[in-house]
Amino acid sequence: MLPYGQGRSYGDSCLNDGGKLLRTAGLDRFISFDAESGSLRCEAGVTLGEILRLLVPRGFFVPVVPGTKHVSVGGAIANDIHGKNHHRAGSFGAHVRKLELLRSDGEAQELGPDDQLFQATVGGLGLTGLITWAEIALRRIPVAAVRMEAIPFAGMDEFLSLSEESDAEFEYTVAWVDVLSRSQRGVFFRGDHAAGAIHAPRGQAAVPLDVPAVNALTVRVFNAAYYAAQKLAGRSRLQHWDPFFFPLDGVAHWNRLYGRRGLLQFQCVVPTPEALRALLSEAPPSPLTVLKRFGPARSPGMLSFPRPGFTFALDLPNRGEETFAQLARLEALAMEAGGAIYPAKDARMSAETFARSFPRLGEFSAHLDPAFSSSFWRRVHR
Amino acid sequence: MRIVVLGATSAIAQAAARIWAERGEELLLVGRDPQKLEAVAADLRTRGGTVETVVHDLDRDQAGLVGRVGAPDVVLLAQGVFGDASRRDRDPEYAESILRTNLISPVRLLTLLAPALPPGSCIAALSSVAGDRGRARVGVYGASKAGLDSFLSALRQRLQGSGVRVLALKPGFVDTPMTASLPKTPLFASAAQVGRGIVRAVDMGRDAVVYLPWWWRLIMLAVKALPEGVFKRLKF
Ligand SMILES: Cc1cc2nc3c(=O)[nH]c(=O)nc-3n(C[C@H](O)[C@H](O)[C@H](O)COP(=O)(O)OP(=O)(O)OC[C@H]3O[C@@H](n4cnc5c(N)ncnc54)[C@H](O)[C@@H]3O)c2cc1C
């Protein structure tokens, strides 16, 4: 068995070939909300988008959100996800006050951050049992808008100093890099919840068919156009929270741009700027190469991915062996630097890399539920 | 608005009730499983509704309930069971229990409730496209819904001019616990989608029979038009 949230993980960590998936879409009820403390209790299948839809109008925001709002609370916990505010808020798991875990022996346990089993379950990849509900501390926001700035930069030095300066002043920071440009130019985004006007949410565009649109030429054109557009749009603007946090959610089925064979994502964290530079210089062409500095916060999970350093993520159209070789090279660089690969974005890492990425693996294994497994787990665990 | 939801733990009823709760409506939930009912009520309260619950077995005592619901603006009648196909076709007791929940209990309830409803109110009852033509796979279930449709049509005629509307809601395949065992096809709608359709139908007060999603009307038109000689040989 393996719990299944919204299937928004990129690789096989949410799959269970030959086994059963426990769909949690029906666990979609709210249980209680305390507007004094901002404490929300809900079932594990509730999506972050649903929480935002309901509670933003009442002045609350989810403390940590990933790049899509279509993920479940259970999935967010099981991958201990991170957002653009990691340097301030840490990972999602740091805001979970309580959860209920249903084990295959039929026993339901209420767990808090001090429990070993809680620490195994946060970031636990769905392997410790089924999270039935969780209590999360939401944060207060003044209005639904974000005051954001988009700052073009010309290379890694500029990125590093922008990161340093912005993390001190802004709650949300992230950067996009044009890996095809020799100078490694990019755009640095930073923002805060604003106290200004509220914009209407925008409509959805959709990608209708599986058209293999992502190739070296289109990436080049896209990157140049994107860079120019950000430059033109001006440095500072007010934006609705939805497109600020979830730009891809605005284009339904964006993944179809990668054609029928789909895409592979790669994400790692490395401790030093030097290691980041090495990764960038090896990075194959991708329209979406994203950098972010992780803060010093300690993640609560035994297998949590976020840790101090720099995270680097990119999308690659799946071209078979050629792509796998590129991924292997990036994996090797991350390992040399003492970094880690993110299971939620992985389809290829070796058992050895997994063990090196997560030093507390042995401790974690003691908390596995014997009836739970995943395709990912069988691939990386020996 | 005061809304009574009968069979409130049904997935489709919950989806409609969520929209009403978020609008801040006053809801009275009726269901038989106290634990499930309380979970639904907590969800709706968190979403902003004013919610009361009544634990009641609708199959058994209809008169007792009618006294407790007062004069609501909307009655959403959603109690229903799908049943297990192989058992339905062989076990007469089981077949009867399905008829009791899906047909007899609604008929009894509405017989008692209709005269008490104020002008401007609306009875919205969940039927199904399965009531349009009997199919081997949903024999007893389809018959219960066909009976309900017929009763609702009569009630609509009877209440003509009284200011009370009668809506028959006819969803097609909906992805809910009721259909968990069926393989999912593109014809399946989500409970949320059907819930939105119900609320819209109640708001607009137009159609007497509402297909959800609307295109089921066309499908069922075609299915109903098939000659029996052809229909009986079909394998769907
Ligand atoms: C466009 C996009 C952008 C993204 N951006 C980010 C980002 O910025 N940061 C980041 O960290 N991630 C990001 N992700 C990854 C995503 O946040 C994670 O993969 C997330 O865990 C997906 O949640 P899900 O509900 O879809 O879970 P699934 O993918 O279905 O499952 C993920 C894991 O959670 C387990 N699980 C699910 N529900 C439960 C439960 N109830 N109990 C126990 N275990 C459970 C599953 O077994 C599985 O191991 C992004 C993904 C996409 C598609």
Side-chain angles (χ1 to χ4, degrees):
Chain A
M1 288 189 281
L2 182 75
Y4 182 87
Q6 290 286 319
R8 276 344 196 241
S9 300
Y10 285 74
D12 52 358
S13 64
C14 62
L15 303 177
N16 192 15
D17 198 13
K20 287 202 162 61
L21 289 176
L22 304 169
R23 262 179 73 188
T24 59
L27 283 176
D28 64 347
R29 288 189 282 245
F30 289 95
I31 298 168
S32 63
F33 179 62
D34 177 1
E36 286 284 297
S37 63
S39 177
L40 171 75
R41 195 180 277 209
C42 65
E43 292 179 346
V46 171
T47 64
L48 301 189
E50 185 69 354
I51 297 175
L52 293 168
R53 189 181 67 73
L54 190 73
L55 294 174
V56 165
R58 298 191 212 166
F60 289 89
F61 210 80
V62 175
V64 169
V65 295
T68 170
K69 61 182 179 292
H70 306 302
V71 305
S72 67
V73 166
I77 296 172
N79 271 326
D80 195 14
I81 61 166
H82 59 269
K84 298 182 180 77
N85 58 348
H86 183 272
H87 58 283
R88 291 276 174 91
S91 61
F92 191 88
H95 307 269
V96 178
R97 297 226 175 105
K98 249 183 219 147
L99 58 82
E100 186 186 75
L101 190 70
L102 183 61
R103 305 270 287 182
S104 61
D105 59 11
E107 200 197 330
Q109 306 183 37
E110 210 174 297
L111 304 169
D114 294 334
D115 295 305
Q116 289 282 308
L117 190 49
F118 178 98
Q119 293 160 26
T121 299
V122 172
L125 303 168
L127 299 165
T128 60
L130 177 77
I131 303 165
T132 52
W133 57 258
E135 192 175 302
I136 314 160
L138 300 188
R139 55 152 301 170
R140 232 168 243 289
I141 52 162
V143 291
V146 173
R147 165 78 57 192
M148 67 92 87
E149 294 182 9
I151 308 165
F153 62 83
M156 277 305 96
D157 291 334
E158 276 187 38
F159 163 75
L160 292 168
S161 60
L162 269 169
S163 229
E164 190 86 29
E165 160 202 328
S166 307
D167 284 4
E169 288 170 34
F170 290 82
E171 176 156 8
Y172 300 101
T173 63
V174 69
W176 166 84
V177 202
D178 179 357
V179 289
L180 287 178
S181 70
R182 231 165 298 121
S183 64
Q184 293 177 338
R185 68 181 177 186
V187 182
F188 194 93
F189 297 91
R190 56 193 196 184
D192 275 314
H193 289 288
I198 303 170
H199 292 213
R202 61 176 184 197
Q204 265 215 341
V207 177
L209 294 164
D210 296 299
V211 275
V214 179
N215 57 49
L217 178 68
T218 53
V219 168
R220 197 172 286 280
V221 172
F222 170 85
N223 283 0
Y226 188 72
Y227 185 80
Q230 291 301 335
K231 233 175 156 161
L232 274 177
R235 208 179 135 119
S236 176
R237 55 198 127 123
L238 205 58
Q239 198 178 24
H240 187 273
W241 58 267
D242 197 327
F244 175 76
F245 289 106
F246 314 114
L248 282 173
D249 290 352
V251 188
H253 307 301
W254 56 268
N255 51 315
R256 289 180 178 165
L257 283 173
Y258 289 87
R260 293 203 69 106
R261 295 185 67 184
L263 76 155
L264 289 154
Q265 218 190 44
F266 173 84
Q267 184 170 5
C268 67
V269 55
V270 288
T272 61
E274 292 68 48
L276 181 65
R277 282 178 211 272
L279 281 164
L280 271 164
S281 58
E282 287 282 332
S286 160
L288 210 72
T289 306
V290 176
L291 304 183
K292 152 100 196 124
R293 197 171 79 134
F294 278 163
R298 239 178 83 89
S299 300
M302 293 174 187
L303 295 191
S304 289
F305 166 73
R307 60 198 75 186
F310 296 88
T311 178
F312 162 91
L314 86 176
D315 277 357
L316 292 174
N318 183 359
R319 294 218 186 76
E321 287 309 322
E322 177 196 345
T323 312
F324 301 157
Q326 290 165 339
L327 290 172
R329 178 78 194 120
L330 293 170
E331 180 179 324
L333 283 173
M335 285 304 104
E336 271 167 43
I341 312 257
Y342 192 11
K345 308 281 182 80
D346 177 70
R348 299 289 299 172
M349 78 166 109
S350 67
E352 195 205 341
T353 296
F354 182 62
R356 281 175 69 186
S357 292
F358 300 98
R360 294 175 74 185
L361 186 56
E363 192 185 341
F364 168 79
S365 301
H367 299 284
L368 281 170
D369 186 301
F372 283 59
S373 182
S374 68
S375 297
F376 173 82
W377 183 250
R378 291 188 292 277
R379 173 163 65 82
V380 299
H381 192 66
R382 292 207 275 268
Chain B
M1 234 170 31
R2 236 176 84 76
I3 301 165
V4 174
V5 185
L6 305 168
T9 57
S10 111
I12 293 176
Q14 274 185 71
R18 283 178 178 182
I19 300 173
W20 283 320
E22 286 172 22
R23 288 189 190 168
E25 310 288 6
E26 205 180 307
L27 294 153
L28 180 75
L29 310 181
V30 184
R32 104 180 108 183
D33 180 334
Q35 238 180 324
K36 272 200 207 155
L37 199 59
E38 212 27 69
V40 174
D43 174 61
L44 298 175
R45 283 189 195 110
T46 309
R47 289 171 193 268
T50 309
V51 185
E52 276 178 74
T53 58
V54 175
V55 177
H56 194 95
D57 186 345
L58 294 166
D59 284 358
R60 277 166 220 277
D61 165 30
Q62 290 83 16
L65 182 73
V66 170
R68 298 174 73 172
V69 302
D73 301 298
V74 178
V75 178
L76 176 62
L77 192 140
Q79 75 264 40
V81 286
F82 191 56
D84 165 342
S86 57
R87 218 178 131 196
R88 264 182 332 224
D89 293 343
R90 261 171 252 133
D91 179 347
E93 304 300 325
Y94 189 61
E96 186 180 325
S97 77
I98 290 170
L99 288 171
R100 200 177 313 121
T101 305
N102 294 3
L103 178 59
I104 297 173
S105 141
V107 168
R108 292 187 61 117
L109 266 165
L110 292 177
T111 302
L112 292 163
L113 201 56
L117 291 177
S121 61
C122 172
I123 296 169
L126 264 175
S127 177
S128 162
V129 295
D132 282 7
R133 192 157 194 181
R135 280 169 54 217
R137 274 189 214 158
V138 292
V140 181
Y141 178 79
S144 71
K145 294 301 189 181
L148 180 62
D149 283 341
S150 168
F151 179 74
L152 292 171
S153 160
L155 194 62
R156 189 176 304 122
Q157 209 175 33
R158 179 145 67 82
L159 293 177
Q160 185 69 26
S162 72
V164 180
R165 288 189 290 130
V166 180
L167 271 175
L169 304 159
K170 294 173 81 81
F173 299 125
V174 189
D175 189 356
T176 65
M178 197 193 244
T179 57
S181 62
L182 304 180
K184 302 294 173 289
T185 65
L187 289 180
F188 271 80
S190 69
Q193 204 178 344
V194 173
R196 281 195 296 276
I198 292 174
V199 172
R200 205 180 309 125
V202 170
D203 281 350
M204 298 196 313
R206 277 216 304 250
D207 262 350
V209 180
V210 178
Y211 285 82
L212 297 167
W214 63 270
W215 39 260
W216 275 101
R217 183 182 292 276
L218 306 181
I219 296 181
M220 295 321 292
L221 212 59
V223 171
K224 280 191 285 192
L226 288 171
E228 192 66 16
V230 177
F231 185 76
K232 72 178 181 198
R233 262 171 275 167
L234 291 179
K235 291 265 184 294
F236 74 89

